[in-house]
Amino acid sequence: MLAEEQRISMADRLRADFPALHQSVNGRPLVYLDSAASAQQPSCVIDTVAEYARHDHANVHRGVHTLSHRATDAYEGARDKLAGFINANSRREVVFTSGTTEAINLVAQSFLRPKAGPGDKILITHMEHHANIVPWQLVCEQTGAELIVAPMDDSGTLDTDALYALLDERVLLVGVVHVSNALGTINPVEDIIREAHAREIPVLVDGAQGVPHKAIDVQALDCEFYAFSGHKMFGPTGTGVLYAKEALLDAMPPYQGGGDMILEVSFDKTVYNELPYKFEAGTPNISGFVGLGAAVDYLLGVGLETVSELEKDLLEYMTARLSELDGIRLIGTADNKASVQSFILGDIHSHDLGTILDHQGVAIRTGHHCAMPVMQFFDVPGTARASLALYNNRDDVDRLVSALTVAQEMFA
Ligand code: C6P
């Protein structure tokens, strides 16, 4: 446990690693509170990508020449780092995708669609991001299966008893978000996985907002699938991971066809490549994954325990400071939360609020956060959302609160 002074100096040290934070926006020093949408990148990630482009760039798995070997080593080295980062049993279980969205679509089309039919069910929760709703709706349209939804309460806490009551022999898969991007709720995925497994139901965890904030051990979780995005964990955009248990990946058909996912092709028959390449058709985002490997090194260097502790402390501070504002309605007040606070301020439309804050150099996200069912539940068109990362500090929160006060005065 870090003392308060240590926490403050640690956050300031980490902040120095992120060049984008050291600029003025609209004449004011930038306060970046939109890391749940996309986190900033530390110098080590930016430099690794630049070095790769300067010296090592070539296509992977294809060439006999030196640069292709170097590119392949860097790219596959990143896979080893990611496998270690989530404690996968094997690098074959780490499929590179363009992000969480593609990872979930892969599972929907390759794992679920061939099994699903009328009368089957896919169980998700009311707090899912569209990326963990729409791919299942597509499967339902394609197969006649039904999407069912576990409820949450007014604090944004999942009703796990209701979820367990929905688990029956027709449920083919449970899809659950680890940390809600709109509410910040941390779901008890360990319990959900245990209960689902007791009924032999596989579980996909949407870890887009989990991975940047807490240590993930997929073997301890024992989930069948865990999906996450590189750009929310300080890596480049266009990178992501589908972790899946090897036996499942072995049995699943390819998601896309093309180069690299084959061993042999003739017009009569194609033999697919071994794992994980069977699921990686075409030239991948090589430099992006090389950068993601550097992001893993960075996060491990800081330590996920430290990250969780810094953010927990700052979230408490932010929630307390926001609560001081007249007419504020906090959306998402579950006991177990991470990194995100959504809110509505009086009658001010969230987009107006976002614009007024931007004029003061404060970046937040506004709108439905790709979680429209959450907005429907709270009967709001959208919210303002401030999201934290390891580089934020109390000054950022104070600047947020004073910018909100300015907005209130403008609308008074
Ligand atoms: N949430 C946010 O501002 P992609 O776009 O594939 O990298 O991630 C999709 C996704 C899936 N699940 C959760 C829980 C997410 O938060 C996101 C992305 C961003 O909240 C952009 S909408």
Side-chain angles (χ1 to χ4, degrees), residues 367-406:
H368 54 66
H369 315 298
C370 298
M372 282 188 180
V374 172
M375 304 302 132
Q376 288 149 11
F377 178 87
F378 288 100
D379 200 18
V380 294
T383 70
R385 181 191 72 182
S387 56
L388 304 170
L390 48 80
Y391 40 63
N392 290 116
N393 59 24
R394 290 188 176 205
D395 289 343
D396 292 340
V397 173
D398 294 340
R399 285 272 311 281
L400 166 71
V401 172
S402 54
L404 290 169
T405 311
V406 170

Side-chain angles (χ1 to χ4, degrees), residues 36-37 99-101 129 131 177 179 181 206 208-209 229 231-232 365 369-370 385:
T100 307
T101 303
H129 184 279
V177 70
V179 177
N181 69 314
D206 172 351
Q209 304 289 350
S229 299
H231 67 108
K232 296 187 199 290
R365 185 168 172 193
H369 315 298
C370 298
R385 181 191 72 182

Side-chain angles (χ1 to χ4, degrees), residues 169 308 397:
E169 70 285 355
S308 299
V397 173

Side-chain angles (χ1 to χ4, degrees), residues 41-62:
Q41 296 173 21
S43 297
C44 61
V45 170
I46 298 166
D47 295 346
T48 300
V49 172
E51 281 300 292
Y52 165 81
R54 278 204 185 91
H55 302 292
D56 302 327
H57 176 61
N59 213 322
V60 287
H61 306 144
R62 287 164 172 85

